[in-house]
Structure formats: C-alpha cells, structure tokens
Amino acid sequence: MATTVTGTKPLRKTGFGGGLKGRGPNGNGSPKRNGHRDAFFEARSAANRYRIGMWVAMASILMLFTALSSAYIVRAASANDWQPLHMPRVLLLSTALIVVSSITLEFARRKLKSGERRAHKSLLVLTTLLGLGFLASQLFAWKDLARQGVYVASNPHSSFFYLLTATHGVHLLGGLAGLGFLTLRSGLKTDDELAATKSQAQTDAVSLYWHFMDILWIYLFFLLFFWRQQ
Amino acid sequence: MSVETHEAVHRHEPPTSFIRKYIFSLDHKVIGIQYIILALVAVVVGMTMSVLMRMNLSWPGTNWPILATLFPGGAPGGVINPEFYLSLVTMHGTIMVFFVLTTAPQGGFGNYFLPIQIGAEDMAFPVLNMLSFWVTFVGFIVILAAIFFSGSASTIGPIGGWTGYAPLSALGQIAGPGQGMGMNLWIISIAIFCVGSLLGALNFITTLLNMRTRGMSLMRMPLTCWAWFTTAVLALLSFPVLLGGGILLLLDRLAGTSFFIPGGLYVSGILSGTTPSFPVHTGGSPILWQHLFWFFGHPEVYIAILPGMGATSHILSTFARKPVFGYRAMVFAIFAIGLLGFFVWGHHMFISGMSPYSAMTFSILTLSIGVPSAVKTFNWLGTLWGARIRFTTPMLFAIGFVSLFVAGGITGLVLGQTSLDLPMHDTYFVLAHFHLVMGVASIFGMFAATYFWFPKMFGRFMNDALGKIHFWITFVGVYCIFVPMHVMGLVGMPRRYSQFTEYTFLTRLHPLVVFVSIVAIITVLTQFLFYFNLIWSIFKGKKAGPNPWEATTLEWTTASPPPHDNFAGVLPVVYRGPYEFAVPGAPNDFVMQTEPETETERAGGNGHNGHRH
C-alpha cells in the first residue's frame, strides 16, 4: 500500500458551505475541553464497573440455571421413570439461613453507608457464618439422602437434586469469597473519598450477588420440591 | 502547564519483567496478540486435519507411508481407517469453531481494538482479561490432550463430530474408539473454553458500557465496537447453556445418570445393564442434548461472523473514502441478527421428529434473518457505490467477505425451509453452506482485519504484493472448493463418510472430489504465504506512521504500536461520528473523531443540529 501519511490539517473555522456532517458538539457525552478525565470521573467509572460487571455476570449465571431448569422440565416429562424425592427436612433450615444472611448483609451495606464501620464488619462476619451454615446444611441434606440410599444416579429427580444444589453451592462459594474479601477490606482505613466510593461499590456488587444467590436458592427449592409433585 | 503535570500522574507505566510483559500480561493489546497467536497455531492443526480428510476422500485406500509412521493405529499400513477419519472430522470442527473462529475475531482483534476505539486505557477488568486468555489456553491444551490420549490407538480424539450428539457421546468407551477418555477430555475442554469465553464477554460488555471516553456516545462508536459488543452479549447468554449441557453429558458418562441416555439401548452388541461397562439407563432424552447444544450452537455461528461484519463495514468505509451507508441501520441490523439468532436453533433439528408446527415457526424465524442480513449487504454495496475505491489488500479481503457472505448466506434460505432441508440434511450441501458463510467468510473478515490493523499493531505494513497473491489464490480457491460441494450435496453425497467407494450413484462425482482436494491443498499451502508475510513484516515490513490508511477512528490518533496505556496518559475527546469521509468543505477527505467542531457546527449552522437551537 503506497498511501502516505498526509496528517490531519486543522479544519478551517468558518467558510465552507454546508458544514461538517457531525452529530453535533453536544451529543450524548458532552465533551469538555480538557483532554483527560478528572479524578471524580475516574472514580465514578471505576465504581460503576463493579456494579455493571456484576449485573452482566448474573445474566450469565441466570442463563446457566435457565438451561438446567429447562432440562429438568423436559426430562421430567420425557419418561415415566421420575420418582419424587422425600424432601430432607434440613432444607428448610438451609432456606431460613440464606434468607436471614441476605437480611444481615443488607444491614451491613447500610452500616457502611452511614459510616458505622465496626457494625459493618461484624454484620459481614455474621453473614459469612450464615453462608457457611447454609452450605453445611446442604451437605446434611446430601447425607440424609445418602442414608436413604438415594445417590446421584438413583433416579432423574435425585440426579437433578444433586446437580442443582452442587451448582448453586459452587456459585455460593464465589459469594463467600466476595464476603471474605469485603471483611478483610473493612479493616483498612479509607479516609479519601475515592477509596470510599470504591469500597461502597464493591459492597454493593457482593450484596447484589448474595441476594441473587438467595433468590436463586428459593427458586430451585420450589422447582425441586413444589413443582409437579404427585 | 498544569495540565501536563496532571497527565503525568495518570500515565500507567508498562511492566518491566518479561513474564509480566509478555506472558501473564494485563495489557489488553498483549492479550489480544496472545489470542491471535493461539488462533494461528490452532488453525494450522485444523487445516492439517482437513488436508488429511481430503486425501482420504479423493484417493481412498492409497498407502501414505508417512501416515503409517505418524499414526500406526489410525492409518495401519498408511491407509486411513474410518474411525481415524471420523476423529479427524471431530477435531477439525471443534478446533476450528472454538479455538479459531471464536478466539481470533473476538478475543484477538476485539481485545486489542475495542478499548482503543472507545478511547479507554485498558479493559474494565485487566486481571479477568488475563484469566480469560489463560483459561482458554488451558482449554486448548486439554483438546490437544484428547488427540494424544483418546483412549484408543486408532483415533486422535472422539468420533462424535463437533456437535457430540447423544446418546453415543454419553455412553463411554462402548460407543466406539475415542469415545472413552477422548470424549471426556473433549467435554472438559469445551467446558473450560466456555468459562474463558464468559469471562471475556463479561469484560467486553462492562468495558464498552463503562469505559467510553468523553464524547464517545453509543452512536459515535465504530461499527466494529457494535459488532464486538453484540458478539459478547451472544457469548454471555449462549455459552452458559453449552456449559450446562456439558455438565449433564459428563454426569451421564461418569456418574451413571440418565439425562440423555434412553432405556433399553443396544450398542456394540451389548444391551444396556448387562455388563458393568454399560450400566443400566432409563428414560433419558437424546433430543434434549440437541436442544441445549443448538441453543448455543446457532448464536455461536454469529459469534464467529459478527466481528467479521464489523471489520468489513469499517474497512469498506475507510477505503471507499465514504461514510458507511446507513450507520444506524447497520447497528440495528447487527442487533437484529444477534437477537434472532436465539430463536432459530430448531432449524438444525428439522429431522429430529419435531412437530411440523414448531418446524414452521423455526423456519419462518430463520428466513427472517435474511432481512437484517440483506440490510447489511445492501448497505455495504451502498458504501461502495460510486466510490473511488482504494484497492488495498485489506479492502480486497473485505470485498471478498461481502462476496462470500452472500454466496454462503443465500443457501441458508434454502436450508431454512423444512421441506428443502429434509432431503439435504447431513449432505455436502450443508457442509458447503456453513463452511462458506461461517468459516471462510469469518476468516476473510479476519484476514482483512489483520492486513488493516497490522501497521497499528507493529508499526509496519504487511507486504502488499504477497497480500494480493494471497487474496486471489485464496478467494478463487475457496469458491473452487465449496461451489462443487453444493453440487455433491444436491446429488446426495452424505457428510462424515470416510469414503464413497461403495456407492455407485456417487462414482461419477469422483473427479469433482479429486478436483476439490487438489484446490484445497493448494489453498492451504497458500496460507503459509500469509504466515511468512506476517512474520517477515514484523521485522522487515515498510514502516507505517500513526495513521497510514488516512482513517478516522481513535486507534489512528495514537502511535503505532500504541503505548502501554494506549493514549500516553491523555484520553482523547470525541466530537463526531466514526466515518466522516469526503465531508464537503473539509480540507482533507477524512475528519478524525477527535477533530473539534468548527464554529459553523457549533452555531448549529448545518441541517443536523438545526433543531437544537
């Protein structure tokens, strides 16, 4: 290619008919004259990044569970080998634990906003413990089924039970990692405004995820034990 | 000046150690190049496999001594056996679709140019970006492991095709050579790949929504960015479904569940439940796998081609020296294609016994994709119409893309109709259709992108003469390969058969089969010209300045190659749309996006802004 660089000459300010075919100077974005972002702009976008990223990640996780749910519904109807499980009672405890953990996390988030750091931290620790309790309770449910002689390959309902609880549990571990990160972070001093915005955004993102896990579990619980039981 | 000191604070210094700079780099440009290198390696593996398949198809029974040495199990005495051929089909498809067509256009060029084109200093989550590449890389290593540890001496992987249809893919070793460990590794590799792609898609979407510089409104983004964004949305919503399906399939194989395996199967002379290697199964639905797979599979073909469409729009406009015809329509067409892509998966399953009413719905939705596709095609032609075209190598490949997209896409309208698809299903007609439109057209888009952006990436041009030779041989070559395959398909030649010596009605096609193979081998060899050009030009190519093509978008405002933080600490400010070529009254025939508005414009002196005041 033999084209040479001609560079960009500055446009004349006036005097050519018709003007430029731009979308105008005040298009959605409203450029300012200084060619860089100011500090606030930087912080806002860094903080927003966590929230947007979390919504996007949740869309993807939602698709995974949509796929598994539709497999569940199709498989339940495809043959008459479906034997409904007896619901392990401990699952009620699991459900209670995760619902309460969502509430404590929401309080933790508000405490951070109002600047009560100590309360924030202890609520985070409480939420983490409730999350661990949920996982332990799920393991007890597995043990309960195993005692009944019901394993992953026993029948389609048990296969889906183990699969869905395990997949949810793995995603919940991610949430626990997030909570652990927030707890460690909450010990650090954040005097400057940028860091505070950032840590608020991280807390928002983790709690968004945690509530999502909560609602997801309630949905799975209903799908597994209250949908099409005969 | 105070602004200077402020900028200095914002500069990100590049890492100094070799490992942080080139291996575990957080720089989206290095990661982009890593993806491209991965694709360049994977495509050689895939092409080698296609050459082996062509050799077997056109000269069946021939003794190739070298194959006897390389694959003593798969080609005993140098003659390729049918299982070996099927494993070639599987691995060729898998490697090409996942590790070439998904990595290079999106992970490679998207990673490199999306942040620069929107005026960002990097991706939103650089660590995640690094992880997405290395996870993908592990996926590639696992698929290569499936070649070497397929669990059978006579194959180099599973024999289920890239679609891995159940129940044979769900049964394990009993279903045939390579279906044991080879299939496990295949599923694990795909699952790992899904995770890598999801991390990438998450990053792309967040970057585009959050990191645009001042003035870069959505409708001022280059069409490439729209294409990468839509591709990322498709990946985000379709890969989880494949991941879910893969987990179910793996459980069927390893945990003895029956998601996809029906009861009473009789395979390889053994009834389900009579031996420990074939445990009892009941009630599974093989069609369920097809639904899950194709719900991913159809968006996947758009994941492969949309970035090519974006690059083509971008390059056509640049070398036609005209704005893209109907920018807004192009954006909506990309979105429409992406959206419709989620509702047409059933057209891959017309012969699965689905209700004729469902088939009709899928058929109508499929044919309606023709509308946005036609919008794009006519807008490309509109962009070229009356232009003083600069026939550079990237321009030739972009025009080639349009040609191949039309030639390959038009048969989609044939296959999208149930009545026509039923006889043509699983024939060479289908093979020719999707190779042209999804394989070759996408690759042409990437060739165009490579020749176009190479000066930006390495500060040097690729050799133009070699590029044009590469273009013409490849362009003529792919038509000579795939047009005859349509004819074979119409005659009734089935896909995935290792040879046709037993079918008398196909013997008269044999000269055509041989012709295709010879052209294919020539075309494949020509690609090494491209590889040579690529490597040679990095060191010896003609030097290029910051804006060698006289283009308008942000990547051309920075140095070639761009500094570590893309714009050397200053973020550009955008004042106008991406394709302002041949603007009446402007001193050059192109106006950069960073060019501030003139007094006339600010006063609202032209028709566009008149309503504002």
Side-chain angles (χ1 to χ4, degrees):
Chain A
M1 178 51 210
T3 318
T4 50
V5 184
T6 59
T8 311
K9 288 177 232 149
L11 293 169
R12 278 175 293 160
K13 293 293 180 195
T14 50
F16 46 87
L20 295 169
K21 280 189 191 167
R23 298 219 61 77
N26 300 320
N28 164 24
S30 182
K32 287 186 185 158
R33 300 276 153 238
N34 54 346
H36 59 272
R37 298 164 173 193
D38 47 77
F40 177 68
F41 189 94
E42 194 82 54
R44 192 183 57 176
S45 59
N48 273 343
R49 226 170 274 172
Y50 296 109
R51 298 196 193 93
I52 298 175
M54 189 49 73
W55 280 107
V56 176
M58 290 190 319
S60 156
I61 295 168
L62 191 64
M63 279 310 284
L64 175 64
F65 281 92
T66 308
L68 294 176
S69 305
S70 49
Y72 180 90
I73 292 164
V74 168
R75 181 63 182 81
S78 78
N80 43 18
D81 58 345
W82 192 268
Q83 296 157 18
L85 297 181
H86 295 291
M87 182 182 80
R89 294 285 142 197
V90 70
L91 287 179
L92 294 172
L93 175 66
S94 300
T95 312
L97 283 173
I98 199 165
V99 169
V100 173
S101 77
S102 243
I103 296 168
T104 55
L105 184 57
E106 189 55 30
F107 277 117
R109 203 172 70 91
R110 292 190 183 175
K111 292 291 175 203
L112 181 69
K113 255 190 185 140
S114 60
E116 296 163 69
R117 288 255 216 78
R118 189 180 286 273
H120 168 67
K121 191 172 182 178
S122 31
L123 280 167
L124 278 181
V125 173
L126 180 60
T127 311
T128 313
L129 290 176
L130 287 168
L132 288 170
F134 170 82
L135 282 185
S137 166
Q138 297 290 82
L139 285 176
F140 276 117
W142 282 16
K143 249 186 123 176
D144 185 13
L145 284 182
R147 211 174 38 241
Q148 295 174 34
V150 177
Y151 300 100
V152 64
S154 299
N155 77 70
H157 195 202
S158 73
S159 307
F160 273 108
F161 175 79
Y162 282 104
L163 171 70
L164 291 172
T165 47
T167 314
H168 177 261
V170 167
H171 283 89
L172 197 93
L173 281 177
L176 283 173
L179 286 174
F181 173 78
L182 288 186
T183 315
L184 291 178
R185 256 298 170 80
S186 68
L188 301 176
K189 282 217 162 198
T190 49
D191 286 336
D192 85 284
E193 200 191 326
L194 291 187
T197 324
K198 198 173 165 181
S199 93
Q200 185 69 50
Q202 286 166 343
T203 313
D204 288 354
V206 171
S207 63
L208 205 56
Y209 185 76
W210 194 262
H211 297 324
F212 175 57
M213 283 299 124
D214 179 8
I215 296 167
L216 190 61
W217 167 251
I218 294 170
Y219 159 74
L220 291 174
F221 188 47
F222 273 86
L223 180 74
L224 282 165
F225 294 107
F226 299 96
W227 178 81
R228 203 180 166 272
Q229 290 288 308
Q230 59 270 57
Chain B
M1 217 173 111
S2 65
V3 172
E4 292 301 318
T5 54
H6 202 123
E7 282 161 5
V9 174
H10 277 267
R11 273 226 68 161
H12 299 279
E13 290 305 323
T16 45
S17 80
F18 179 81
I19 287 183
R20 293 313 300 263
K21 206 168 171 182
Y22 298 110
I23 313 285
F24 296 111
S25 172
L26 299 178
D27 183 343
H28 69 101
K29 297 183 288 297
V30 177
I31 296 169
I33 291 172
Q34 288 173 329
Y35 267 112
I36 292 171
I37 293 172
L38 175 66
L40 286 170
V41 172
V43 78
V44 172
V45 181
M47 281 196 307
T48 310
M49 289 174 169
S50 54
V51 168
L52 289 175
M53 287 188 277
R54 290 312 313 178
M55 281 159 57
N56 184 57
L57 285 169
S58 37
W59 302 286
T62 310
N63 181 347
W64 311 90
I66 179 141
L67 294 186
T69 325
L70 288 175
F71 309 108
V79 182
I80 292 176
N81 69 30
E83 297 83 20
F84 185 67
Y85 179 86
L86 281 179
S87 64
L88 287 171
V89 171
T90 308
M91 298 306 273
H92 166 80
T94 310
I95 289 175
M96 288 300 206
V97 170
F98 290 103
F99 294 97
V100 179
L101 293 175
T102 314
T103 54
Q106 182 79 356
F109 288 102
N111 234 318
Y112 199 111
F113 287 105
L114 179 105
I116 307 188
Q117 287 193 333
I118 61 170
E121 63 277 17
D122 204 326
M123 281 285 201
F125 306 112
V127 177
L128 210 60
N129 202 16
M130 175 185 79
L131 278 178
S132 74
F133 171 75
W134 285 105
V135 169
T136 310
F137 180 78
V138 170
F140 185 59
I141 298 298
V142 176
I143 201 80
L144 291 184
I147 292 178
F148 295 104
F149 308 103
S150 75
S152 154
S154 62
T155 66
I156 53 165
I159 57 175
W162 87 282
T163 55
Y165 271 8
L168 288 181
S169 61
L171 294 176
Q173 192 63 58
I174 198 158
Q179 297 291 81
M181 186 46 81
M183 195 70 197
N184 289 340
L185 291 171
W186 184 86
I187 299 168
I188 291 167
S189 163
I190 301 305
I192 295 173
F193 187 86
C194 287
V195 174
S197 297
L198 286 171
L199 297 179
L202 167 68
N203 219 342
F204 271 72
I205 294 171
T206 313
T207 305
L208 187 130
L209 292 179
N210 192 237
M211 306 271 290
R212 280 171 290 128
T213 189
R214 282 192 203 282
M216 181 56 86
S217 61
L218 288 173
M219 281 301 175
R220 279 179 181 169
M221 292 195 307
L223 285 170
T224 40
C225 295
W226 277 111
W228 287 318
F229 176 65
T230 314
T231 305
V233 173
L234 294 185
L236 185 85
L237 301 179
S238 67
F239 273 109
V241 178
L242 180 66
L243 182 60
I247 293 169
L248 296 179
L249 193 58
L250 209 57
L251 283 177
D252 269 3
R253 299 173 56 82
L254 301 179
T257 55
S258 305
F259 296 111
F260 302 128
I261 310 173
L265 270 189
Y266 187 72
V267 175
S268 305
I270 300 170
L271 181 67
S272 165
T274 53
T275 68
S277 67
F278 192 10
V280 66
H281 289 283
T282 55
S285 163
I287 303 289
L288 177 60
W289 166 257
Q290 295 192 19
H291 280 292
L292 292 173
F293 182 84
W294 287 115
F295 186 86
F296 147 79
H298 200 80
E300 166 62 28
V301 308
Y302 296 134
I303 290 171
I305 202 168
L306 283 179
M309 289 182 173
T312 298
S313 310
H314 198 74
I315 292 165
L316 286 183
S317 171
T318 305
F319 294 111
R321 315 307 294 167
K322 282 177 65 190
V324 163
F325 187 89
Y327 173 89
R328 212 164 259 274
M330 288 300 246
V331 172
F332 291 129
I334 293 175
F335 260 9
I337 291 174
L339 184 70
L340 285 170
F342 278 109
F343 301 103
V344 299
W345 78 91
H347 69 218
H348 298 270
M349 303 165 53
F350 283 151
I351 63 156
S352 70
M354 68 164 61
S355 138
Y357 298 106
S358 324
M360 193 177 74
T361 312
F362 281 125
S363 179
I364 290 169
L365 284 165
T366 303
L367 299 185
S368 68
I369 294 180
V371 177
S373 304
V375 167
K376 294 202 78 73
T377 307
F378 286 119
N379 283 358
W380 286 325
L381 298 179
T383 308
L384 293 174
W385 187 264
R388 287 220 313 273
I389 298 173
R390 296 180 181 170
F391 285 104
T392 60
T393 309
M395 185 60 166
L396 289 177
F397 274 103
I399 296 173
F401 174 95
V402 178
S403 162
L404 289 160
F405 176 68
V406 173
I410 205 89
T411 49
L413 295 175
V414 176
L415 292 169
Q417 298 173 56
T418 327
S419 51
L420 292 175
D421 180 72
L422 291 179
M424 286 182 195
H425 190 88
D426 263 345
T427 66
Y428 270 63
F429 194 87
V430 177
L431 193 85
H433 159 70
F434 76 76
H435 271 87
L436 266 187
V437 72
M438 161 199 198
V440 184
S442 306
I443 288 293
F444 264 54
M446 288 312 106
F447 280 142
T450 310
Y451 285 103
F452 181 67
W453 278 312
F454 190 87
K456 180 51 65 184
M457 296 162 81
F458 298 102
R460 291 172 187 273
F461 286 100
M462 287 181 76
N463 184 292
D464 200 48
L466 282 180
K468 283 184 172 147
I469 296 170
H470 173 223
F471 169 76
W472 283 109
I473 299 180
T474 311
F475 186 66
V476 174
V478 293
Y479 271 111
C480 287
I481 294 167
F482 294 111
V483 170
M485 284 193 187
H486 287 91
V487 179
M488 297 175 198
L490 289 173
V491 175
M493 188 179 265
R495 283 170 77 181
R496 293 176 173 166
Y497 281 32
S498 70
Q499 55 186 49
F500 298 98
T501 43
E502 307 296 317
Y503 302 90
T504 46
F505 76 103
L506 293 173
T507 47
R508 291 177 67 179
L509 286 175
H510 195 68
L512 209 51
V513 175
V514 174
F515 170 75
V516 166
S517 297
I518 291 169
V519 180
I521 290 166
I522 293 170
T523 312
V524 164
L525 290 176
T526 309
Q527 304 316 307
F528 289 99
L529 208 60
F530 171 73
Y531 277 76
F532 170 75
N533 196 350
L534 208 59
I535 293 164
W536 183 84
S537 302
I538 290 177
F539 302 104
K540 303 272 177 183
K542 192 157 65 76
K543 291 238 170 168
N547 188 7
W549 307 117
E550 301 185 311
T552 55
T553 44
L554 292 183
E555 75 267 34
W556 307 107
T557 62
T558 184
S560 303
H564 174 65
D565 55 0
N566 294 345
F567 300 99
V570 193
L571 289 181
V573 181
V574 170
Y575 294 94
R576 55 188 74 245
Y579 301 113
E580 302 216 343
F581 293 101
V583 179
N588 300 306
D589 80 331
F590 64 105
V591 186
M592 305 292 284
Q593 286 193 279
T594 49
E595 194 70 51
E597 68 272 32
T598 59
E599 295 295 336
T600 335
E601 287 178 302
R602 205 173 300 140
N606 69 52
H608 271 83
N609 303 319
H611 64 277
R612 281 218 178 83
H613 301 287

